[in-house]
Amino acid sequence: MGWLNFADTAVSCSLSEWLQGPGKMSLPRIPSDSRLQSRFLGCLLGGAVGDALGAPVEFMDLDEIVRTHGETGIRDYAPAYGKLGAITDDTQMTLFTAEAMLSAHVAAALQSQEPDFFRAAVASYARWLMTQENSRLLSAGSAKASWLLQQKKLFSRRAPGTTCLSALHSSRGKATRATNDSKGCGGVMRMAPVGMYFAHALGRERHPDRLLPNIFATGNDLAAITHGHPSGSLSAGSFAVMVSLLLVGSSLSDAIHAAKGELGKHPSHKETLAAIEKAESLAKSRPRERNALRELGKGFVAEEALAMGLYCALSARDFEDGVILAVNHGGDSDSTGSIAGNLLGAAAGIEAIPERWLACLELRSAIEGIAADLAAFPEWRLRSQDDAEERAFYASRYPMS
């Protein structure tokens, strides 16, 4: 597990230049903790890189991947959706989950109340649904447009999950849990921002175990907006806990142990727990084997996608090695690549991600912007009337509804 050694490396020159370049406005705020920001950027960009690497082979079996890309499989971006470095619905929905967490934070600060992450996520996922339909009709001047919805490249269908589409259509913006019995991976693959949001409080807490139930519950609840089967949402809660702990310096093994502790408190946990423990066992006995990865499933359902991402991250030599392993299989390659990328990036920071993958990553600047906001939001000045300009900026950037 040598990839964890990257965690304390300094922020790269290119990142520093991006943060402090000429003419940089005071808003949005730049995080003061450069090491934490490196991990936040690594987490979100790492997931997007894994998603983009897996996108061209998502619907191929392994034999077809080998015929197309050689015996070692796909190792660099190939054309998908008419371009190199194209993201899919995995990254799209991850960004809208991040928007939801920040929208809930802003609303809570302005109204002096506790954040309502569930209601904010319902609104943000409704905005994502707009990008999959005819949402360019949304008025540019609408207070509900949000900064993220202004990113024109998001208005593109990238093989969105049928469960997500149908559940969001059925709810019609109402704050309700899904009534289906789906455990597809569409809940777990979008949940890294929940862990990112809570990492700040986790890092300050003298007794971090007190926060883990809240992190788990939030991930579980937000996945349940679209996925009604327990394994679909419990996998998401587990993943959120792991990401949060990695961001504050825990080893992946310790993060998994803590997540399993929370998972075991919930009914219907056995299927998800068994998948996680199988991934741990195979990573110890047969690391970096395609055949071992195949034994974990194909990744189309939540507990399999999580287990496959964990297996690849646990047995990886470094970020590149882990993500390449995660996408070379006959299953949901973009989702397993995304999960592995989130985990590896959270632990190792942005410096661990090959620049050739970042250079042409679709929506890179938007992903960086959201990651930076997740890293900086505790420093936002929202409660005082003296900070009216900052309050108005973030209220417009991250509206609640």
Side-chain angles (χ1 to χ4, degrees):
M1 289 189 281
W3 56 272
L4 290 176
N5 295 332
F6 289 101
D8 294 328
T9 53
V11 178
S12 68
C13 177
S14 61
L15 177 58
S16 298
E17 291 170 354
W18 175 75
L19 291 175
Q20 301 176 20
K24 185 69 179 179
M25 296 179 61
S26 59
L27 294 174
R29 285 193 173 273
I30 298 170
S32 59
D33 186 336
S34 61
R35 188 176 71 167
L36 186 63
Q37 172 155 5
S38 173
R39 291 183 175 184
F40 272 58
L41 286 165
C43 182
L44 216 56
L45 286 167
V49 161
D51 178 26
L53 189 65
V57 296
E58 178 182 6
F59 302 108
M60 295 183 182
D61 60 32
L62 184 57
D63 289 342
E64 188 178 357
I65 293 174
V66 170
R67 286 197 303 271
T68 304
H69 299 283
E71 188 60 37
T72 59
I74 188 168
R75 302 183 65 85
D76 280 303
Y77 294 151
Y81 304 103
K83 63 187 72 181
L84 290 177
I87 62 166
T88 77
D89 62 311
D90 294 42
T91 299
Q92 290 176 341
M93 294 201 76
T94 298
L95 292 175
F96 280 96
T97 301
E99 180 193 77
M101 301 303 291
L102 293 170
S103 295
H105 173 78
V106 172
L110 297 182
Q111 299 168 18
S112 299
Q113 62 186 32
E114 290 298 309
D116 188 342
F117 300 114
F118 191 87
R119 188 165 72 87
V122 168
S124 284
Y125 293 153
R127 282 193 280 272
W128 170 77
L129 187 61
M130 292 177 184
T131 69
Q132 305 302 292
E133 299 171 332
N134 296 319
S135 283
R136 294 184 187 278
L137 299 175
L138 187 70
S139 168
S142 171
K144 297 182 180 180
S146 84
W147 173 74
L148 191 57
L149 207 58
Q150 295 168 26
Q151 310 304 310
K152 294 181 180 179
K153 289 183 179 179
L154 282 172
F155 287 79
S156 180
R157 287 178 72 101
R158 301 294 172 80
T162 55
T163 295
C164 289
L165 292 174
S166 62
L168 295 175
H169 274 297
S170 298
S171 66
R172 298 180 182 178
K174 296 179 181 178
T176 58
R177 297 170 72 94
T179 57
N180 59 45
D181 194 38
S182 173
K183 60 172 182 173
C185 68
V188 64
M189 57 74 170
R190 66 181 191 242
M191 217 48 65
V194 173
M196 297 171 76
Y197 178 89
F198 283 105
H200 298 280
L202 197 63
R204 296 191 302 267
E205 177 60 54
R206 294 183 63 182
H207 303 285
D209 288 353
R210 296 175 181 174
L211 283 177
L212 298 184
N214 195 21
I215 301 171
F216 189 101
T218 304
N220 181 72
D221 288 346
L222 267 55
I225 293 172
T226 54
H227 291 74
H229 191 286
S231 295
S233 55
L234 292 175
S235 297
S238 302
F239 183 51
V241 169
M242 294 175 199
V243 168
S244 203
L245 286 166
L246 285 174
L247 287 168
V248 297
S250 293
S251 69
L252 181 54
S253 294
D254 287 346
I256 294 171
H257 178 76
K260 289 195 300 183
E262 291 305 315
L263 174 63
K265 299 175 183 178
H266 295 261
S268 306
H269 69 272
K270 291 183 179 180
E271 186 173 54
T272 302
L273 180 62
I276 293 172
E277 291 185 335
K278 186 173 183 180
E280 290 180 291
S281 176
L282 286 172
K284 289 180 180 178
S285 62
R286 296 163 57 194
R288 305 178 65 252
E289 278 189 23
R290 287 183 186 172
N291 286 337
L293 186 63
R294 184 184 292 120
E295 290 181 21
L296 294 170
K298 293 193 172 185
F300 292 112
V301 294
E303 76 277 6
E304 289 182 2
L306 177 59
M308 294 171 77
L310 287 173
Y311 170 82
C312 295
L314 281 167
S315 58
R317 293 172 178 168
D318 54 28
F319 181 93
E320 181 173 352
D321 181 66
V323 170
I324 287 174
L325 177 63
V327 301
N328 280 288
H329 62 88
D332 201 345
S333 296
D334 59 328
S335 296
T336 54
S338 177
I339 290 170
N342 287 142
L343 294 168
L344 290 161
I350 190 175
E351 299 81 13
I353 305 175
E355 178 57 35
R356 73 182 191 279
W357 287 348
L358 292 173
C360 60
L361 178 66
E362 186 180 25
L363 279 167
R364 176 182 177 177
S365 61
I367 297 166
E368 288 176 333
I370 290 274
D373 282 349
L374 281 165
F377 77 84
E379 302 173 57
W380 294 352
R381 299 171 183 171
L382 303 174
R383 297 186 182 277
S384 171
Q385 291 296 334
D386 294 336
D387 299 310
E389 180 182 356
E390 189 158 348
R391 287 159 58 95
F393 175 85
Y394 285 113
S396 174
R397 190 172 174 87
Y398 297 109
M400 183 63 176
S401 61

